[in-house]
Amino acid sequence: LFSELQALHSSGSLSYTSCVCVCASVVFFGSRGSDPRGRQRPIAKRCGGATATKEEMAKLWGGSGLHPLVEAYTVGEDYRIDSEFMLPYDIKASSAHARMLAKIGVLTQAEGETLVKALQEILELWKAGKFTVDRSQEDGHTAIEQYITEKYGEVGKKIHTGRSRNDQSLTMIRLYALDQLREVDTLCKELSRVADAHAKTLEHIPMPGYTHMQRAMPTSVGKWLNAFSSGWKDSSHGLEAAVKTLDQNPLGSAAGFGINGLTLDRAETAKLLDFAKVQENPMYCGLSRGMFENVALQAMSLPMVLASRFAADMMMFTQQESSFLRLPDDFVTGSSIMPQKKNYDMFEIMRANGKVFGSLQVQIQETIVGLGSGYHRDLQCTKKAFVEACGLCTSTLKLLIEAVPKLQAREGNLKAAMTEDLYVTDEVYKRVAAGTAFREAYAAAKAEFFKRQAAKEQAEEPAAKRAKA
């Protein structure tokens, strides 16, 4: 082919640009005939006896001749996300579906067992890093079906009976989301526990309380840390509510309208997948795509907001001007130019990740706002944001579980910071306890404090002038 192209170009019959385009197409479409293990995919027969091309075989919807830019744009990173995160959940759901199809007689018992065996084989290959999804396959659903059909023949063509890629995606994402919610709940409980235990060891150490970033009233390091511990503990309420909302089986809803002429046992797949119940209305199953992911991230937002605010406090309390708190050196970084620096980068990143998490949750919400019922390809764009947000939340909580128990209070600096201004409100209430009306006590304590402050500043001024001279 390349020799023929060269001859055509030399004769002036074909431009250089056209030659390049033809070569690129050959390389691109030729490479798509290989599966993730580097072997040629078999060429299957389509209905009517026509032979399917390799690129048609790579699409469950039977398309052919898709422009490479269209493919790259519409597939996006979906294949990578499925390959890295979703395959175990797709395999689990497919195994339950195969067992159910055998139970209702669509598959023989032997066929059901073969499919379950093949799916377990794929899972083991995936765990060993030997099963991946490539872009031409679009998603993990295609990669799984192609592998089974190639290795086990006709039975692989039956696994998609009674379902669509819509409910297949819904189910794997639902299972992933429930795992993530339960993991975040477990991490929040553990973080609350370690923070509360450490707070008890620090409750005797005084600490200035702040409002508006200004010194306000006296508190303690223990009380400050316990406030965050209490918040992470309360996060469980929202996470458990989200689990209750998501814990329903969408498998069998197909493209959002169920299957006419085939009675699926959706209660059986719900049981096999440990769902609390069946999501009965197939149209509601479709409607919940993106919406349930939004519910999950809303529940995860409370621990992330708390983490971001904890990080902001840590940045303030570890700076040299206050130097109230510190962590061991394996939690801090340095500077490439300033040898003396100890930077609490983890808290700067954590502070930012609170905002990044929020933007990912809003991205999902804004993607689904205004969509009609039924499936829309827009929903594919929620998957990447959801996976990234879940990863941010779990990694943040795991880091805090390690860091919080190692938090050290610099007791000398904290005690030195407990200055007169922190106790002015206490003076107000001493007067109130003695019978003075609150507003009068407030005015008197305020006037006396600022009078003392002015006298102190006046006394310090000559000393400052002498030092300057």
Side-chain angles (χ1 to χ4, degrees):
L1 174 61
F2 294 121
S3 298
E4 290 175 13
L5 287 172
Q6 187 176 23
L8 286 168
H9 174 59
S10 299
S11 68
S13 301
L14 199 64
S15 70
Y16 176 76
T17 302
S18 298
C19 288
V20 171
C21 289
V22 172
C23 291
S25 297
V26 170
V27 171
F28 180 83
F29 288 109
S31 68
R32 300 199 315 168
S34 296
D35 71 7
R37 296 159 303 285
R39 302 196 300 267
Q40 284 297 109
R41 295 194 187 96
I43 299 176
K45 294 284 185 180
R46 297 186 69 193
C47 295
T51 302
T53 64
K54 292 173 186 175
E55 60 194 77
E56 285 175 318
M57 185 60 191
K59 305 285 188 288
L60 289 185
W61 47 272
S64 62
L66 191 63
H67 192 291
L69 291 177
V70 174
E71 179 172 75
Y73 192 76
T74 54
V75 174
E77 294 191 66
D78 216 42
Y79 74 100
R80 179 188 63 79
I81 294 166
D82 280 7
S83 189
E84 291 181 21
F85 300 97
M86 296 295 169
L87 269 173
Y89 300 97
D90 201 357
I91 291 166
K92 182 178 180 180
S94 294
S95 182
H97 187 68
R99 292 174 193 272
M100 182 273 295
L101 290 176
K103 181 183 177 186
I104 65 173
V106 172
L107 300 174
T108 66
Q109 194 64 33
E111 286 175 326
E113 290 172 0
T114 298
L115 287 174
V116 171
K117 173 189 172 184
L119 289 161
Q120 184 60 35
E121 186 177 296
I122 294 170
L123 181 61
E124 295 305 319
L125 287 169
W126 179 81
K127 288 178 179 177
K130 297 178 181 178
F131 188 93
T132 57
V133 184
D134 66 51
R135 189 188 295 276
S136 68
Q137 293 169 312
E138 298 185 322
D139 50 44
H141 319 313
T142 304
I144 289 169
E145 185 171 330
Q146 284 180 354
Y147 178 89
I148 297 173
T149 303
E150 178 184 334
K151 185 165 184 180
Y152 293 94
E154 289 296 311
V155 70
K157 300 177 184 179
K158 298 182 180 183
I159 193 170
H160 205 57
T161 307
R163 68 179 183 180
S164 161
R165 283 194 296 179
N166 290 3
D167 64 329
Q168 204 173 343
S169 291
L170 267 169
T171 308
M172 75 175 185
I173 295 169
R174 188 74 52 84
L175 291 169
Y176 172 82
L178 285 166
D179 266 7
Q180 293 297 305
L181 282 166
R182 288 171 178 138
E183 182 179 6
V184 170
D185 189 27
T186 299
L187 292 170
C188 281
K189 287 180 169 121
E190 177 62 10
L191 178 54
S192 176
R193 185 190 70 78
V194 299
D196 182 60
H198 196 41
K200 286 180 169 65
T201 69
L202 303 169
E203 61 188 0
H204 67 284
I205 303 174
M207 180 185 199
Y210 289 82
T211 64
H212 306 275
M213 299 295 287
Q214 307 297 318
R215 297 152 66 77
M217 293 180 68
T219 184
S220 71
V221 178
K223 190 170 288 186
W224 165 78
L225 185 54
N226 179 262
F228 288 99
S229 170
S230 300
W232 286 313
K233 182 179 181 180
D234 281 349
S235 297
S236 286
H237 303 315
L239 292 162
E240 288 165 3
V243 167
K244 187 175 181 180
T245 299
L246 271 66
D247 198 6
Q248 41 188 322
N249 179 28
L251 188 58
S253 60
F257 309 100
I259 299 290
N260 295 321
L262 179 63
T263 303
L264 301 172
D265 191 345
R266 298 186 63 205
E268 176 67 10
T269 54
K271 178 183 174 183
L272 290 169
L273 294 171
D274 294 320
F275 281 113
K277 63 178 183 178
V278 172
Q279 193 172 7
E280 295 288 353
N281 186 327
M283 291 193 74
Y284 178 47
C285 294
L287 195 61
S288 65
R289 174 79 185 268
M291 186 173 74
F292 277 14
E293 290 90 304
N294 191 35
V295 168
L297 295 192
Q298 285 174 337
M300 293 182 199
S301 68
L302 178 53
M304 282 301 291
V305 167
L306 286 165
S308 184
R309 297 187 71 175
F310 179 81
D313 273 7
M314 285 300 298
M315 293 309 301
M316 182 168 70
F317 296 149
T318 55
Q319 64 183 341
Q320 285 94 330
E321 284 73 16
S322 57
S323 201
F324 293 161
L325 304 172
R326 65 183 169 193
L327 282 170
D329 284 352
D330 55 342
F331 286 91
V332 299
T333 65
S335 165
S336 64
I337 189 173
M338 296 169 282
Q340 82 283 7
K341 293 297 293 294
K342 288 188 178 182
N343 297 325
Y344 287 82
D345 288 8
M346 59 177 276
F347 292 119
E348 293 176 274
I349 297 295
M350 193 178 293
R351 184 172 55 186
N353 276 341
K355 301 178 181 72
V356 172
F357 179 92
S359 71
L360 292 166
Q361 186 255 310
V362 171
Q363 182 180 326
I364 291 174
Q365 182 168 298
E366 289 301 303
T367 299
I368 64 176
V369 164
L371 293 182
S373 61
Y375 179 75
H376 305 270
R377 192 70 182 266
D378 312 49
L379 294 167
Q380 176 183 303
C381 298
T382 64
K383 192 192 290 184
K384 179 184 175 184
F386 184 60
V387 167
E388 188 176 342
C390 290
L392 277 180
C393 188
T394 53
S395 62
T396 297
L397 296 174
K398 287 174 182 177
L399 180 56
L400 285 169
I401 288 169
E402 289 296 314
V404 168
K406 296 179 176 67
L407 193 60
Q408 301 166 10
R410 307 184 81 155
E411 196 165 347
N413 293 344
L414 284 156
K415 287 180 177 178
M418 303 304 292
T419 50
E420 178 191 4
D421 52 322
L422 295 169
Y423 299 94
V424 176
T425 304
D426 291 353
E427 290 297 321
V428 173
Y429 280 93
K430 285 179 183 177
R431 293 169 185 265
V432 169
T436 306
F438 170 78
R439 191 53 59 200
E440 290 178 6
Y442 175 95
K446 181 175 183 178
E448 288 181 9
F449 171 72
F450 282 108
K451 183 179 179 181
R452 291 194 302 272
Q453 284 293 101
K456 183 179 178 182
E457 290 171 6
Q458 190 174 9
E460 289 174 349
E461 190 175 337
K465 286 181 179 178
R466 287 195 299 271
K468 188 176 180 182

